[in-house]
Amino acid sequence: LSAGVYCCCAALRPRYKRLVDNIFPEDPKDGLVKADMEKLTFYAVSAPEKLDRIGSYLAERLTRDVVRHRYGYVLIAMEALDQLLMACHSQSIKPFVESFLHMVAKLLESGEPKLQVLGTNSFVKFANIEEDTPSYHRRYDFFVSRFSAMCHSCDPDPEIQTEIRIAGIRGIQGVVRKTVNDELRATIWEPQHMDKIVPSLLFNMQKIEDIDSRIGPPSSPTGGEKEENPALLAENCFRELLGRATYGNMNNAVRPVFAHLDHHKLWDPNEFAVSCFKIIMYSIQAQYSHHVIQEILGHLDVRKRDSPRVRAGIIQVLLEAVAIAAKGSIGPTVLEVFNTLLKHLRISVDFELCDRRGSAESATFSTSSKESDERIVQNAIIQTIGFFGSNLPDYQRSEIMMFIMGKVPVLGSASQSLDTSHLGDLGTRRIQIMLLRSLLMVTSGYKATTISNALPPPFLDPLLSPSLMEDSELRQLVLEILHNLIDRHDNRAKLRGIRIIPDVSDLKIKRDKISKQDVNFMKKHGQQLYRHIYLGCKEEDNVQKNFELLFTSLALTTIELANEEVVIDLIRLAIALQDIAVINEDNLPLFNRCAVMALVAAYLNFLSQMIAVPAFSQHVSKVVETRSLEASYFLPETIFKDKCNLPKSFEKHEKDFFFLTNKIAESLGGSGYSVERLSVPYVPQVTDEDRLSRRKSIVDTVSLQVDILPGNSTEDKIDNTEEITFEALKKAIDNNGFEEQEKEKRRLVFEKFRKAPFEEIAAQCETKANLLQNRLAQILELTIRPPPSPSGTMTITAGHARYHSVPVYEMKFPDLCVY
């Protein structure tokens, strides 16, 4: 009777329930009843409106089986659901999907790893189904949270742990694919989802043993590797996520990376951070690279108070990012990158100086360690600036060179330099050196078609200013930057080291015929280059490297920019340098004088072979040979040795040791050179750069003596007094001699204006105008001090004079009224 009642009740049940019940065998080990499953599938396809009821009933049975731990029937139910999903694609499938997702959620909530993996597999199959219409109400918040939690599984069994983590990563991958293909894909890019997805993937990516093996463009691992390795699977999912990011949601995907690296302290050491951002830069679309760079710069600003090694790690990541981005388009972030880096350079110098002051007070080891760490930060910034700049197109690199040069602090300059007022002289020097070092890296490999493009006036003038500063390292950097810009044929390596080159042809120097633009450049700016080489040789703190760089500057100028006029100017400059050593008006040390003589010998030896005038080469060779026998300390091979016996004085040396202007003029004149200008001594022009460079003037004060008689009045007649010198007595005794001197002066002036180049005449006129202006300014700035004695003499002291602009002199002003 009971069996009959059951059969009668079963016959009265809805058909979809009977079809669902029939797919379950009595023994779950037998698996799904395929014949009945085909009937259920045919029924679902024929009557799609019944799909939601089928799904609800299956969900009811699955929930009951999960609670009763009847996992065999759970597997059968999920297999049936998967087949129904694959077979049905009508609009009525939407309610069925809700039941399906509810069942998957039940499986994921269970504590059984097998059920979690089963639910994940079903969800991945569902994610690969392309639905005909978008779902405007479906959300995947639960699945994002649950799959992210599975990625952090800490099951004591390593195999189970790996299995659950792989399931979690595959689930996240399924969510991403499903939502990206959906028209409502923007929901997955919301910060609350990205803050769970991205850290979960990065957590598993940290398990990669060989990080370097996966740096670069996306790889193509085999299917087996993807399934077995959570780290590799997470990395590919991360690449896929970033590859689908668009302009509006790129930042939401990148910012959680910084949070993860901060939380796990992965900036020091930063190997994983570097590999992670390389993956990011290679995975995103090229036109969005500047978003990532902006985020790194912003995070650097946020962490500017952190330890130096953390900041250095972030800067290293930035270096790797811009190295990839520079190959494509990075948009408007070029100047922003450099501006931010220069700002942090100043901050690092500030921290270093503060640590140095603290170490001076407490003398602790930790402060010195911090100071060295700050040097790591500074070197990382310089390396990033240089690498980024050297990979930019030439037109952008020129702008960056101007931008960096504008940041170099120069005393008295009103440029947009970095604020170093609170750093003092030491901090300002550190900033100057590091900015010039970064500029040196930016100019490395720069090949301008013309020198005027490489050295425009707005760049040339501020660049040459540090070459006059009282710091040998600054001057070295300026010369190296000039070499990068002038050397367009990579000849600098062949000229490395100052020496007497036996045969210049062995160097295989590359050169082109000087262009018209370069000729015009030398006419306009050649005097600037000459004067900075000239003044650079007169510095007392010059070391061997300074003289080597000065020699290279002269040689590169000869190779790249020398026509006949420039050759004559360079010879005049060389003779003027020789006069510096011989006359020694600046009281240079004996080593410097010998080094200048060696520099002139090395350069004239190089120049004579480059222009190939036999008589000139013969004269140079003869002088060099004489020096090698009797005065080897005038040659670079000897003077720059560690132990060199220097002469006691220069007075006893004969003419054979020196290069003579008349012989050089005679030798060049026979080869068609216009040698009239060789008779005009080279005189460097004086500009405002000397004041801005903070060079010490030979004349610190100008003393003006004013005779003030006791009880003087405006009615008293006071005779003018002048200083009595030998020249004044000679003029008073011999009027004829005075007239002859005046005639000779007029003749020399006439010769100069007839033979000297226009640029030199203009430079000297400008020099005299500057002298007049300086003297006028000094007179206007007089400060009157009380007379030191009752003799009636008063001393008026002017301010600092410009370098080599005003000689020491004393004047009497008896008619001067002091109010």
Side-chain angles (χ1 to χ4, degrees):
L1 181 62
S2 61
V5 172
Y6 175 79
C7 292
C8 181
C9 292
L12 295 176
R13 297 180 69 191
R15 183 181 179 184
Y16 73 89
K17 286 188 177 182
R18 284 184 280 128
L19 291 174
V20 170
D21 290 337
N22 291 338
I23 66 174
F24 292 94
E26 293 183 2
D27 187 357
K29 295 180 179 179
D30 295 337
L32 183 68
V33 180
K34 295 183 179 180
D36 291 329
M37 186 64 212
E38 291 177 356
K39 294 179 182 179
L40 177 62
T41 303
F42 179 77
Y43 176 77
V45 172
S46 302
E49 67 277 3
K50 300 293 184 179
L51 269 174
D52 59 332
R53 298 182 183 183
I54 295 174
S56 299
Y57 186 60
L58 274 172
E60 180 183 344
R61 290 203 53 155
L62 184 138
T63 302
R64 183 173 65 248
D65 292 335
V66 169
V67 173
R68 296 176 180 179
H69 300 284
R70 300 168 63 179
Y71 297 140
Y73 289 119
V74 172
L75 295 175
I76 293 174
M78 291 307 300
E79 184 179 356
L81 283 170
D82 293 342
Q83 292 189 21
L84 289 174
L85 277 174
M86 299 299 294
C88 304
H89 296 283
S90 65
Q91 295 182 356
S92 301
I93 200 175
K94 302 301 178 186
F96 174 74
V97 169
E98 296 301 324
S99 300
F100 167 78
L101 293 178
H102 177 70
M103 286 184 281
V104 172
K106 285 292 183 181
L107 296 179
L108 295 177
E109 286 178 336
S110 67
E112 183 64 30
K114 292 183 179 180
L115 295 185
Q116 294 178 1
V117 173
L118 178 64
T120 301
N121 294 336
S122 296
F123 183 84
V124 171
K125 293 178 182 177
F126 161 72
N128 292 328
I129 297 176
E130 295 185 4
E131 301 183 45
D132 297 334
T133 57
S135 176
Y136 294 98
H137 64 282
R138 190 186 309 153
R139 297 186 64 87
Y140 299 94
D141 299 8
F142 168 79
F143 295 99
V144 170
S145 301
R146 188 57 194 161
F147 287 137
S148 299
M150 291 170 63
C151 290
H152 293 82
S153 173
C154 297
D155 194 279
D157 189 345
E159 294 184 359
I160 295 178
Q161 180 187 109
T162 301
E163 189 178 11
I164 295 176
R165 288 188 179 184
I166 290 176
I169 297 169
R170 293 179 66 243
I172 289 177
Q173 194 173 28
V175 172
V176 171
R177 289 177 179 177
K178 189 64 177 176
T179 53
V180 166
N181 292 331
D182 198 322
E183 289 187 4
L184 296 181
R185 58 184 177 272
T187 56
I188 197 63
W189 298 106
E190 294 176 357
Q192 63 265 30
H193 299 321
M194 287 291 104
D195 290 344
K196 297 175 183 177
I197 293 175
V198 174
S200 300
L201 299 177
L202 295 178
F203 176 76
N204 287 275
M205 287 169 59
Q206 286 178 246
K207 304 302 180 180
I208 299 178
E209 296 179 359
D210 186 9
I211 295 176
D212 294 335
S213 64
R214 266 165 287 281
I215 294 176
S219 56
S220 299
T222 61
E225 291 176 343
K226 289 182 181 179
E227 296 296 332
E228 297 175 0
N229 191 343
L232 184 59
L233 183 63
E235 180 184 326
N236 283 276
C237 181
F238 188 53
R239 291 182 185 271
E240 183 178 351
L241 174 68
L242 295 169
R244 297 173 183 271
T246 60
Y247 180 85
N249 48 48
M250 174 61 63
N251 293 342
N252 291 340
V254 175
R255 285 171 185 166
V257 177
F258 295 103
H260 179 82
L261 297 175
D262 290 343
H263 179 71
H264 292 277
K265 300 179 180 179
L266 297 175
W267 295 112
D268 178 33
N270 68 337
E271 286 81 4
F272 177 74
V274 170
S275 65
C276 184
F277 274 91
K278 282 189 174 183
I279 291 173
I280 293 174
M281 296 303 295
Y282 279 118
S283 300
I284 63 175
Q285 301 180 44
Q287 63 268 29
Y288 302 148
S289 298
H290 64 279
H291 281 286
V292 180
I293 295 176
Q294 285 176 332
E295 290 295 324
I296 299 175
L297 293 173
H299 196 68
L300 182 60
D301 287 335
V302 172
R303 304 297 299 271
K304 64 182 179 182
R305 296 290 179 182
D306 280 31
S307 66
R309 292 191 175 273
V310 170
R311 287 181 281 130
I314 299 175
I315 295 169
Q316 180 66 26
V317 168
L318 178 63
L319 171 61
E320 299 295 341
V322 298
I324 300 172
K327 299 175 183 177
S329 173
I330 56 174
T333 59
V334 177
L335 290 180
E336 182 181 354
V337 170
F338 287 97
N339 196 36
T340 303
L341 289 175
L342 294 178
K343 179 180 68 175
H344 284 276
L345 186 63
R346 181 188 58 77
I347 293 173
S348 178
V349 172
D350 196 6
F351 287 161
E352 179 187 355
L353 294 178
C354 291
D355 293 338
R356 184 173 298 179
R357 297 189 194 102
S359 62
E361 296 175 0
S362 59
T364 59
F365 177 78
S366 60
T367 53
S368 60
S369 177
K370 288 182 180 179
E371 182 178 337
S372 62
D373 290 344
E374 289 296 341
R375 294 294 179 93
I376 297 176
V377 175
Q378 295 161 15
N379 291 332
I381 293 175
I382 293 171
Q383 186 180 8
T384 304
I385 291 175
F387 189 86
F388 190 17
S390 61
N391 282 278
L392 291 175
D394 286 345
Y395 72 93
Q396 279 189 326
R397 205 191 306 197
S398 299
E399 295 178 358
I400 295 305
M401 289 160 51
M402 297 283 292
F403 180 77
I404 296 176
M405 198 65 241
K407 296 291 183 179
V408 177
V410 179
L411 186 68
S413 174
S415 61
Q416 298 177 354
S417 59
L418 292 176
D419 181 17
T420 59
S421 56
H422 64 289
L423 297 179
D425 291 344
L426 180 61
T428 301
R429 177 186 177 275
R430 289 282 300 155
I431 290 290
Q432 289 170 335
I433 289 177
M434 286 183 288
L435 288 179
L436 290 177
R437 283 177 56 193
S438 61
L439 185 59
L440 177 63
M441 295 190 67
V442 171
T443 57
S444 177
Y446 181 58
K447 296 293 188 299
T449 54
T450 62
I451 295 297
S452 58
N453 291 338
L455 293 170
F459 177 74
L460 179 62
D461 295 337
L463 174 64
L464 293 179
S465 292
S467 70
L468 300 178
M469 291 185 178
E470 294 180 313
D471 191 296
S472 60
E473 186 176 358
L474 283 174
R475 299 196 301 273
Q476 291 171 12
L477 290 171
V478 172
L479 291 175
E480 289 178 357
I481 293 170
L482 280 175
H483 297 169
N484 282 345
L485 298 174
I486 294 176
D487 184 19
R488 293 172 290 180
H489 297 88
D490 299 323
N491 293 313
R492 182 175 40 169
K494 304 171 185 177
L495 301 168
R496 184 171 296 137
I498 181 172
R499 64 196 185 279
I500 301 295
I501 303 174
D503 190 355
V504 175
S505 61
D506 293 339
L507 301 180
K508 297 181 180 180
I509 291 176
K510 300 177 183 178
R511 63 184 306 191
D512 294 330
K513 185 178 179 181
I514 183 170
S515 63
K516 185 177 180 181
Q517 293 86 348
D518 292 342
V519 172
N520 293 332
F521 174 83
M522 291 303 293
K523 287 182 178 180
K524 293 180 179 179
H525 306 289
Q527 294 296 325
Q528 283 181 272
L529 298 178
Y530 302 152
R531 86 180 278 270
H532 284 271
I533 294 174
Y534 178 85
L535 296 177
C537 290
K538 301 174 70 172
E539 295 293 342
E540 293 186 9
D541 61 340
N542 280 338
V543 294
Q544 179 178 350
K545 185 176 181 181
N546 290 89
F547 291 107
E548 290 178 352
L549 293 174
L550 289 167
F551 166 75
T552 306
S553 301
L554 290 168
L556 289 176
T557 304
T558 304
I559 295 171
E560 298 286 348
L561 302 169
N563 56 5
E564 290 189 5
E565 293 183 4
V566 175
V567 167
I568 297 299
D569 288 336
L570 289 171
I571 293 175
R572 293 174 59 229
L573 175 61
I575 298 301
L577 294 177
Q578 181 178 256
D579 292 340
I580 290 176
V582 175
I583 302 174
N584 196 26
E585 293 180 347
D586 299 279
N587 296 321
L588 293 175
L590 200 55
F591 168 79
N592 292 59
R593 298 172 67 187
C594 293
V596 172
M597 296 289 286
L599 167 65
V600 174
Y603 173 65
L604 288 181
N605 172 71
F606 175 82
L607 177 63
S608 63
Q609 297 184 58
M610 288 296 295
I611 64 177
V613 177
F616 182 32
S617 300
Q618 185 178 0
H619 171 64
V620 173
S621 300
K622 184 177 179 180
V623 174
V624 170
E625 183 179 356
T626 304
R627 289 184 180 184
S628 63
L629 295 176
E630 302 181 32
S632 61
Y633 40 77
F634 286 165
L635 298 177
E637 289 81 1
T638 302
I639 188 61
F640 293 122
K641 288 182 179 179
D642 293 337
K643 295 181 180 179
C644 175
N645 295 324
L646 299 176
K648 295 182 179 180
S649 64
F650 277 37
E651 284 73 15
K652 297 181 180 180
H653 292 89
E654 301 178 358
K655 291 183 178 180
D656 294 340
F657 294 159
F658 306 116
F659 300 98
L660 304 178
T661 305
N662 57 348
K663 291 188 176 182
I664 295 175
E666 181 181 350
S667 61
L668 293 179
S671 298
Y673 281 81
S674 178
V675 296
E676 291 83 1
R677 289 188 295 116
L678 285 177
S679 60
V680 181
Y682 171 77
V683 178
Q685 64 186 43
V686 179
T687 66
D688 286 344
E689 294 170 5
D690 303 307
R691 175 177 57 83
L692 299 181
S693 63
R694 300 187 64 183
R695 291 173 61 90
K696 288 184 180 178
S697 173
I698 290 181
V699 184
D700 289 335
T701 62
V702 178
S703 180
L704 301 177
Q705 291 189 347
V706 183
D707 284 356
I708 304 178
L709 297 180
N712 64 344
S713 65
T714 57
E715 298 178 355
D716 294 334
K717 183 72 175 180
I718 304 173
D719 295 332
N720 291 338
T721 61
E722 67 178 333
E723 186 178 358
I724 300 176
T725 63
F726 175 77
E727 291 295 332
L729 292 174
K730 184 178 179 181
K731 291 177 184 178
I733 295 171
D734 188 6
N735 290 331
N736 294 330
F738 176 75
E739 293 178 357
E740 291 295 331
Q741 287 183 357
E742 291 297 326
K743 289 181 181 179
E744 181 65 19
K745 287 183 180 179
R746 287 195 294 270
R747 188 186 66 79
L748 290 177
V749 172
F750 176 76
E751 289 292 328
K752 179 186 293 186
F753 277 87
R754 188 169 68 88
K755 297 178 180 180
F758 174 77
E759 291 79 11
E760 184 176 343
I761 296 173
Q764 292 185 357
C765 292
E766 182 182 359
T767 300
K768 292 182 178 180
N770 289 336
L771 282 174
L772 183 59
Q773 183 180 1
N774 292 341
R775 291 181 179 178
L776 180 60
Q778 290 161 1
I779 292 174
L780 293 176
E781 296 174 4
L782 295 178
T783 59
I784 303 177
R785 294 182 297 190
S789 64
S791 61
T793 301
M794 208 173 176
T795 301
I796 299 178
T797 304
H800 290 276
R802 295 184 182 178
Y803 181 74
H804 276 244
S805 60
V806 183
V808 177
Y809 63 93
E810 292 185 352
M811 300 179 64
K812 305 280 187 172
F813 292 93
D815 293 332
L816 180 63
C817 294
V818 182
Y819 295 94

